[in-house]
Amino acid sequence: MERTLVLIKPDGVERNLSGEIIKRLEMRGLKITALKFLLVKEELARKHYDIHQGKPFYEGLIRYITSGPVIAMVLEGPNAIKAVRQTMGATNPVEADPGTIRHDFGIITSRNLTHASDSPENAEIEIGNWFTQDEIFQWERVHENFFTGLN
Ligand code: CMP
């Protein structure tokens, strides 16, 4: 089963969109296995966005992600990485398809509401950066097979 890290960034939390974003991901069939509300320390922000270091938007990105509380989640399901990124839409909200979170609630890349891991390898690294093992729960939904096809 695939896992992915999802962040609702400060603009999503500030704009009271957390519930709507979680609802859309849950309705997709994804299972929450970890969730927390936190102020991101600069060290974690720089580690998380290390790949963007040196880009023109990097320092603004660090200020943005540390500017207010975020919600961090681990979501699990078949094709979780692709499914979450599809539900979020393209990084630039004006290139995101209608019906996606970024299209429906955003208009600029620097305030694009959410983050999601882009590969299984990065998901495992990101989950390890944001969560300890004892913050992640392995649990079975009663009707798990409706979502996973597994009995
Ligand atoms: P995210 O999916 O979290 O991954 C990197 C983030 O950098 C991205 O979402 C945006 O928030 C931000 N970002 C990417 N490209 C740009 C850009 N050209 N200008 C401003 N912010 C950007």
Side-chain angles (χ1 to χ4, degrees), residues 5-23 25 35-38 40 49 64-65 68-73 75 88 101 112-116 130:
L5 178 86
V6 170
L7 304 178
I8 303 175
K9 299 182 193 175
D11 52 334
V13 173
E14 181 73 34
R15 292 174 56 197
N16 293 339
L17 291 170
S18 306
E20 176 67 28
I21 292 167
I22 293 170
K23 183 184 88 171
L25 294 167
L35 188 150
K36 62 182 165 186
F37 184 73
L38 72 160
V40 182
Y49 282 128
Y64 161 49
I65 198 75
V70 310
I71 290 174
M73 295 177 271
L75 298 183
M88 287 182 180
I101 290 165
N112 66 352
L113 301 142
T114 53
H115 167 84
W130 286 79

Tab-separated table of all heavy atoms in Angstrom, residues 5-23 25 35-38 40 49 64-65 68-73 75 88 101 112-116 130:
chain	number	residue	atom	x	y	z
A	5	LEU	N	2.921	12.048	2.055
A	5	LEU	CA	2.818	13.162	3.004
A	5	LEU	C	2.000	14.274	2.368
A	5	LEU	O	2.256	14.668	1.222
A	5	LEU	CB	4.196	13.726	3.358
A	5	LEU	CG	4.104	14.913	4.312
A	5	LEU	CD1	4.041	14.438	5.755
A	5	LEU	CD2	5.262	15.886	4.125
A	6	VAL	N	1.012	14.764	3.104
A	6	VAL	CA	0.206	15.898	2.649
A	6	VAL	C	0.321	17.018	3.669
A	6	VAL	O	0.228	16.781	4.868
A	6	VAL	CB	-1.283	15.483	2.493
A	6	VAL	CG1	-2.167	16.703	2.251
A	6	VAL	CG2	-1.440	14.489	1.358
A	7	LEU	N	0.542	18.235	3.168
A	7	LEU	CA	0.514	19.419	4.031
A	7	LEU	C	-0.608	20.335	3.576
A	7	LEU	O	-0.784	20.550	2.368
A	7	LEU	CB	1.827	20.202	3.925
A	7	LEU	CG	3.122	19.450	4.214
A	7	LEU	CD1	4.314	20.386	3.995
A	7	LEU	CD2	3.132	18.881	5.634
A	8	ILE	N	-1.353	20.845	4.552
A	8	ILE	CA	-2.229	21.986	4.279
A	8	ILE	C	-1.445	23.187	4.778
A	8	ILE	O	-1.142	23.303	5.970
A	8	ILE	CB	-3.583	21.865	4.992
A	8	ILE	CG1	-4.276	20.559	4.574
A	8	ILE	CG2	-4.468	23.078	4.664
A	8	ILE	CD1	-5.584	20.288	5.316
A	9	LYS	N	-1.020	24.021	3.858
A	9	LYS	CA	-0.091	25.104	4.167
A	9	LYS	C	-0.823	26.247	4.882
A	9	LYS	O	-2.066	26.253	4.962
A	9	LYS	CB	0.561	25.576	2.873
A	9	LYS	CG	1.375	24.491	2.164
A	9	LYS	CD	2.005	25.077	0.916
A	9	LYS	CE	2.549	24.015	0.002
A	9	LYS	NZ	3.041	24.591	-1.261
A	10	PRO	N	-0.064	27.237	5.388
A	10	PRO	CA	-0.697	28.293	6.188
A	10	PRO	C	-1.872	29.006	5.505
A	10	PRO	O	-2.837	29.398	6.179
A	10	PRO	CB	0.459	29.263	6.456
A	10	PRO	CG	1.662	28.374	6.490
A	10	PRO	CD	1.401	27.348	5.410
A	11	ASP	N	-1.830	29.167	4.192
A	11	ASP	CA	-2.964	29.843	3.526
A	11	ASP	C	-4.219	28.977	3.586
A	11	ASP	O	-5.322	29.487	3.782
A	11	ASP	CB	-2.629	30.248	2.081
A	11	ASP	CG	-2.074	29.117	1.225
A	11	ASP	OD1	-1.477	28.172	1.786
A	11	ASP	OD2	-2.229	29.173	-0.008
A	12	GLY	N	-4.061	27.672	3.466
A	12	GLY	CA	-5.216	26.767	3.548
A	12	GLY	C	-5.841	26.782	4.927
A	12	GLY	O	-7.074	26.830	5.074
A	13	VAL	N	-4.980	26.770	5.958
A	13	VAL	CA	-5.480	26.792	7.336
A	13	VAL	C	-6.134	28.151	7.620
A	13	VAL	O	-7.253	28.228	8.134
A	13	VAL	CB	-4.327	26.518	8.338
A	13	VAL	CG1	-4.798	26.707	9.769
A	13	VAL	CG2	-3.772	25.106	8.129
A	14	GLU	N	-5.410	29.229	7.273
A	14	GLU	CA	-5.885	30.596	7.535
A	14	GLU	C	-7.233	30.858	6.859
A	14	GLU	O	-8.093	31.541	7.403
A	14	GLU	CB	-4.831	31.580	7.012
A	14	GLU	CG	-5.127	33.044	7.202
A	14	GLU	CD	-4.999	33.509	8.635
A	14	GLU	OE1	-4.128	32.978	9.374
A	14	GLU	OE2	-5.774	34.389	9.023
A	15	ARG	N	-7.439	30.290	5.685
A	15	ARG	CA	-8.666	30.550	4.931
A	15	ARG	C	-9.795	29.576	5.285
A	15	ARG	O	-10.815	29.522	4.597
A	15	ARG	CB	-8.347	30.484	3.428
A	15	ARG	CG	-7.449	31.642	2.976
A	15	ARG	CD	-7.025	31.481	1.529
A	15	ARG	NE	-8.184	31.361	0.662
A	15	ARG	CZ	-8.142	30.896	-0.594
A	15	ARG	NH1	-6.990	30.513	-1.113
A	15	ARG	NH2	-9.236	30.816	-1.314
A	16	ASN	N	-9.589	28.811	6.378
A	16	ASN	CA	-10.618	27.869	6.851
A	16	ASN	C	-10.964	26.804	5.813
A	16	ASN	O	-12.115	26.364	5.715
A	16	ASN	CB	-11.904	28.605	7.271
A	16	ASN	CG	-11.701	29.458	8.507
A	16	ASN	OD1	-10.765	29.222	9.279
A	16	ASN	ND2	-12.547	30.443	8.700
A	17	LEU	N	-9.959	26.420	5.027
A	17	LEU	CA	-10.194	25.402	3.999
A	17	LEU	C	-9.724	24.005	4.421
A	17	LEU	O	-9.837	23.049	3.654
A	17	LEU	CB	-9.490	25.812	2.690
A	17	LEU	CG	-10.111	27.022	1.990
A	17	LEU	CD1	-9.213	27.514	0.856
A	17	LEU	CD2	-11.501	26.681	1.453
A	18	SER	N	-9.206	23.886	5.655
A	18	SER	CA	-8.665	22.583	6.093
A	18	SER	C	-9.702	21.470	5.966
A	18	SER	O	-9.418	20.392	5.445
A	18	SER	CB	-8.181	22.648	7.544
A	18	SER	OG	-7.279	23.694	7.712
A	19	GLY	N	-10.900	21.734	6.477
A	19	GLY	CA	-11.950	20.712	6.446
A	19	GLY	C	-12.302	20.310	5.026
A	19	GLY	O	-12.441	19.122	4.717
A	20	GLU	N	-12.423	21.297	4.148
A	20	GLU	CA	-12.774	21.026	2.749
A	20	GLU	C	-11.685	20.178	2.076
A	20	GLU	O	-11.984	19.244	1.325
A	20	GLU	CB	-12.946	22.355	2.005
A	20	GLU	CG	-13.224	22.230	0.517
A	20	GLU	CD	-14.579	21.605	0.188
A	20	GLU	OE1	-15.509	21.734	1.013
A	20	GLU	OE2	-14.699	20.995	-0.901
A	21	ILE	N	-10.429	20.524	2.364
A	21	ILE	CA	-9.317	19.789	1.740
A	21	ILE	C	-9.273	18.350	2.260
A	21	ILE	O	-9.164	17.394	1.486
A	21	ILE	CB	-7.987	20.535	1.984
A	21	ILE	CG1	-7.993	21.855	1.199
A	21	ILE	CG2	-6.784	19.669	1.617
A	21	ILE	CD1	-6.890	22.836	1.571
A	22	ILE	N	-9.403	18.196	3.564
A	22	ILE	CA	-9.385	16.834	4.136
A	22	ILE	C	-10.583	16.047	3.616
A	22	ILE	O	-10.473	14.874	3.263
A	22	ILE	CB	-9.363	16.887	5.675
A	22	ILE	CG1	-8.043	17.484	6.168
A	22	ILE	CG2	-9.565	15.487	6.273
A	22	ILE	CD1	-7.999	17.794	7.650
A	23	LYS	N	-11.732	16.702	3.546
A	23	LYS	CA	-12.938	16.017	3.049
A	23	LYS	C	-12.719	15.453	1.646
A	23	LYS	O	-13.027	14.293	1.373
A	23	LYS	CB	-14.130	16.981	3.031
A	23	LYS	CG	-15.436	16.326	2.606
A	23	LYS	CD	-16.576	17.306	2.499
A	23	LYS	CE	-16.603	17.904	1.102
A	23	LYS	NZ	-17.817	18.701	0.849
A	25	LEU	N	-9.956	14.639	0.169
A	25	LEU	CA	-8.996	13.532	0.158
A	25	LEU	C	-9.611	12.281	0.779
A	25	LEU	O	-9.421	11.164	0.289
A	25	LEU	CB	-7.710	13.954	0.873
A	25	LEU	CG	-6.940	15.073	0.158
A	25	LEU	CD1	-5.870	15.666	1.061
A	25	LEU	CD2	-6.317	14.566	-1.145
A	35	LEU	N	-1.864	12.591	11.643
A	35	LEU	CA	-2.317	13.969	11.393
A	35	LEU	C	-1.874	14.840	12.557
A	35	LEU	O	-2.027	14.460	13.713
A	35	LEU	CB	-3.843	14.004	11.263
A	35	LEU	CG	-4.477	15.337	10.821
A	35	LEU	CD1	-5.775	15.064	10.058
A	35	LEU	CD2	-4.758	16.254	11.978
A	36	LYS	N	-1.280	15.991	12.254
A	36	LYS	CA	-0.981	16.946	13.323
A	36	LYS	C	-1.040	18.380	12.830
A	36	LYS	O	-0.928	18.647	11.623
A	36	LYS	CB	0.355	16.642	13.993
A	36	LYS	CG	1.574	16.712	13.138
A	36	LYS	CD	2.784	16.329	14.017
A	36	LYS	CE	4.000	16.027	13.182
A	36	LYS	NZ	5.107	15.517	13.991
A	37	PHE	N	-1.223	19.279	13.799
A	37	PHE	CA	-1.357	20.721	13.569
A	37	PHE	C	-0.128	21.341	14.209
A	37	PHE	O	0.107	21.144	15.410
A	37	PHE	CB	-2.643	21.178	14.275
A	37	PHE	CG	-3.010	22.615	14.084
A	37	PHE	CD1	-3.503	23.070	12.877
A	37	PHE	CD2	-2.911	23.508	15.143
A	37	PHE	CE1	-3.890	24.394	12.719
A	37	PHE	CE2	-3.296	24.836	14.996
A	37	PHE	CZ	-3.782	25.279	13.775
A	38	LEU	N	0.669	22.048	13.439
A	38	LEU	CA	1.929	22.542	14.012
A	38	LEU	C	2.408	23.818	13.345
A	38	LEU	O	2.031	24.122	12.208
A	38	LEU	CB	3.025	21.472	13.897
A	38	LEU	CG	3.618	21.183	12.516
A	38	LEU	CD1	4.967	20.491	12.658
A	38	LEU	CD2	2.690	20.348	11.650
A	40	VAL	N	5.653	25.281	11.822
A	40	VAL	CA	6.840	24.645	11.257
A	40	VAL	C	8.090	25.442	11.630
A	40	VAL	O	8.165	26.646	11.368
A	40	VAL	CB	6.716	24.538	9.717
A	40	VAL	CG1	7.924	23.843	9.127
A	40	VAL	CG2	5.440	23.805	9.337
A	49	TYR	N	12.149	21.601	1.968
A	49	TYR	CA	12.253	22.242	0.654
A	49	TYR	C	13.697	22.342	0.156
A	49	TYR	O	13.997	23.188	-0.696
A	49	TYR	CB	11.589	23.622	0.699
A	49	TYR	CG	10.072	23.550	0.628
A	49	TYR	CD1	9.279	24.195	1.574
A	49	TYR	CD2	9.427	22.847	-0.395
A	49	TYR	CE1	7.889	24.137	1.508
A	49	TYR	CE2	8.046	22.777	-0.470
A	49	TYR	CZ	7.279	23.424	0.469
A	49	TYR	OH	5.907	23.356	0.391
A	64	TYR	N	6.786	31.636	3.870
A	64	TYR	CA	5.375	31.236	3.711
A	64	TYR	C	5.041	30.006	4.564
A	64	TYR	O	4.090	30.027	5.348
A	64	TYR	CB	5.151	30.980	2.223
A	64	TYR	CG	3.977	30.151	1.755
A	64	TYR	CD1	2.674	30.376	2.199
A	64	TYR	CD2	4.179	29.171	0.777
A	64	TYR	CE1	1.620	29.617	1.703
A	64	TYR	CE2	3.128	28.424	0.269
A	64	TYR	CZ	1.862	28.640	0.738
A	64	TYR	OH	0.823	27.900	0.237
A	65	ILE	N	5.850	28.971	4.499
A	65	ILE	CA	5.516	27.715	5.196
A	65	ILE	C	5.699	27.850	6.709
A	65	ILE	O	5.103	27.097	7.472
A	65	ILE	CB	6.336	26.520	4.604
A	65	ILE	CG1	5.714	25.165	4.965
A	65	ILE	CG2	7.783	26.568	5.008
A	65	ILE	CD1	4.485	24.813	4.201
A	68	GLY	N	2.582	30.496	9.671
A	68	GLY	CA	1.397	30.190	10.467
A	68	GLY	C	1.243	28.691	10.553
A	68	GLY	O	2.007	27.958	9.907
A	69	PRO	N	0.263	28.223	11.327
A	69	PRO	CA	0.127	26.778	11.501
A	69	PRO	C	-0.160	26.040	10.189
A	69	PRO	O	-0.815	26.592	9.292
A	69	PRO	CB	-1.068	26.631	12.446
A	69	PRO	CG	-1.388	27.980	12.941
A	69	PRO	CD	-0.730	28.992	12.064
A	70	VAL	N	0.329	24.814	10.123
A	70	VAL	CA	0.018	23.933	9.002
A	70	VAL	C	-0.570	22.632	9.563
A	70	VAL	O	-0.393	22.324	10.739
A	70	VAL	CB	1.258	23.595	8.127
A	70	VAL	CG1	2.013	24.837	7.721
A	70	VAL	CG2	2.181	22.626	8.808
A	71	ILE	N	-1.260	21.905	8.710
A	71	ILE	CA	-1.703	20.553	9.054
A	71	ILE	C	-0.872	19.591	8.216
A	71	ILE	O	-0.773	19.757	6.994
A	71	ILE	CB	-3.211	20.368	8.800
A	71	ILE	CG1	-3.998	21.189	9.829
A	71	ILE	CG2	-3.608	18.889	8.864
A	71	ILE	CD1	-5.488	21.209	9.621
A	72	ALA	N	-0.257	18.638	8.890
A	72	ALA	CA	0.533	17.610	8.204
A	72	ALA	C	-0.167	16.271	8.382
A	72	ALA	O	-0.663	15.970	9.476
A	72	ALA	CB	1.945	17.551	8.783
A	73	MET	N	-0.223	15.503	7.302
A	73	MET	CA	-0.926	14.215	7.352
A	73	MET	C	-0.142	13.160	6.591
A	73	MET	O	0.536	13.476	5.615
A	73	MET	CB	-2.279	14.301	6.629
A	73	MET	CG	-3.294	15.201	7.233
A	73	MET	SD	-4.778	15.228	6.188
A	73	MET	CE	-4.369	16.560	5.092
A	75	LEU	N	-1.290	9.995	4.406
A	75	LEU	CA	-2.448	9.336	3.807
A	75	LEU	C	-1.989	8.057	3.128
A	75	LEU	O	-0.909	8.004	2.535
A	75	LEU	CB	-3.127	10.253	2.784
A	75	LEU	CG	-3.697	11.564	3.322
A	75	LEU	CD1	-4.404	12.327	2.206
A	75	LEU	CD2	-4.664	11.330	4.469
A	88	MET	N	-5.256	17.405	-5.909
A	88	MET	CA	-4.714	18.750	-5.658
A	88	MET	C	-4.609	19.582	-6.918
A	88	MET	O	-4.781	20.789	-6.880
A	88	MET	CB	-3.342	18.647	-5.010
A	88	MET	CG	-3.444	18.207	-3.586
A	88	MET	SD	-1.835	18.149	-2.863
A	88	MET	CE	-2.314	17.610	-1.231
A	101	ILE	N	-8.330	20.969	-6.014
A	101	ILE	CA	-8.243	21.894	-4.873
A	101	ILE	C	-7.562	23.194	-5.291
A	101	ILE	O	-8.044	24.294	-5.004
A	101	ILE	CB	-7.478	21.215	-3.711
A	101	ILE	CG1	-8.342	20.094	-3.108
A	101	ILE	CG2	-7.071	22.243	-2.646
A	101	ILE	CD1	-7.582	19.123	-2.200
A	112	ASN	N	-0.377	28.084	-2.929
A	112	ASN	CA	-1.113	26.998	-3.597
A	112	ASN	C	-1.682	25.958	-2.637
A	112	ASN	O	-1.968	24.826	-3.009
A	112	ASN	CB	-0.250	26.359	-4.694
A	112	ASN	CG	0.963	25.642	-4.143
A	112	ASN	OD1	1.262	25.735	-2.951
A	112	ASN	ND2	1.652	24.913	-4.999
A	113	LEU	N	-1.815	26.371	-1.366
A	113	LEU	CA	-2.632	25.671	-0.369
A	113	LEU	C	-2.114	24.349	0.187
A	113	LEU	O	-2.313	24.053	1.364
A	113	LEU	CB	-4.054	25.426	-0.914
A	113	LEU	CG	-4.826	26.659	-1.311
A	113	LEU	CD1	-5.647	26.425	-2.553
A	113	LEU	CD2	-5.691	27.148	-0.162
A	114	THR	N	-1.513	23.534	-0.677
A	114	THR	CA	-1.183	22.174	-0.245
A	114	THR	C	0.181	21.735	-0.775
A	114	THR	O	0.706	22.323	-1.734
A	114	THR	CB	-2.225	21.157	-0.772
A	114	THR	OG1	-2.344	21.326	-2.183
A	114	THR	CG2	-3.573	21.336	-0.105
A	115	HIS	N	0.694	20.702	-0.155
A	115	HIS	CA	1.878	20.018	-0.668
A	115	HIS	C	1.583	18.523	-0.642
A	115	HIS	O	0.903	18.043	0.271
A	115	HIS	CB	3.107	20.285	0.211
A	115	HIS	CG	4.253	19.372	-0.103
A	115	HIS	ND1	5.140	19.625	-1.132
A	115	HIS	CD2	4.617	18.179	0.434
A	115	HIS	CE1	6.015	18.628	-1.191
A	115	HIS	NE2	5.719	17.736	-0.260
A	116	ALA	N	2.102	17.799	-1.604
A	116	ALA	CA	1.999	16.331	-1.581
A	116	ALA	C	3.273	15.731	-2.153
A	116	ALA	O	3.851	16.269	-3.098
A	116	ALA	CB	0.802	15.870	-2.401
A	130	TRP	N	8.721	14.529	8.971
A	130	TRP	CA	7.586	15.211	9.631
A	130	TRP	C	6.988	14.427	10.791
A	130	TRP	O	6.338	15.005	11.656
A	130	TRP	CB	6.487	15.517	8.598
A	130	TRP	CG	6.842	16.645	7.684
A	130	TRP	CD1	7.671	16.590	6.596
A	130	TRP	CD2	6.414	18.010	7.779
A	130	TRP	NE1	7.774	17.833	6.021
A	130	TRP	CE2	7.013	18.711	6.705
A	130	TRP	CE3	5.560	18.701	8.653
A	130	TRP	CZ2	6.803	20.081	6.501
A	130	TRP	CZ3	5.341	20.066	8.443
A	130	TRP	CH2	5.959	20.741	7.385
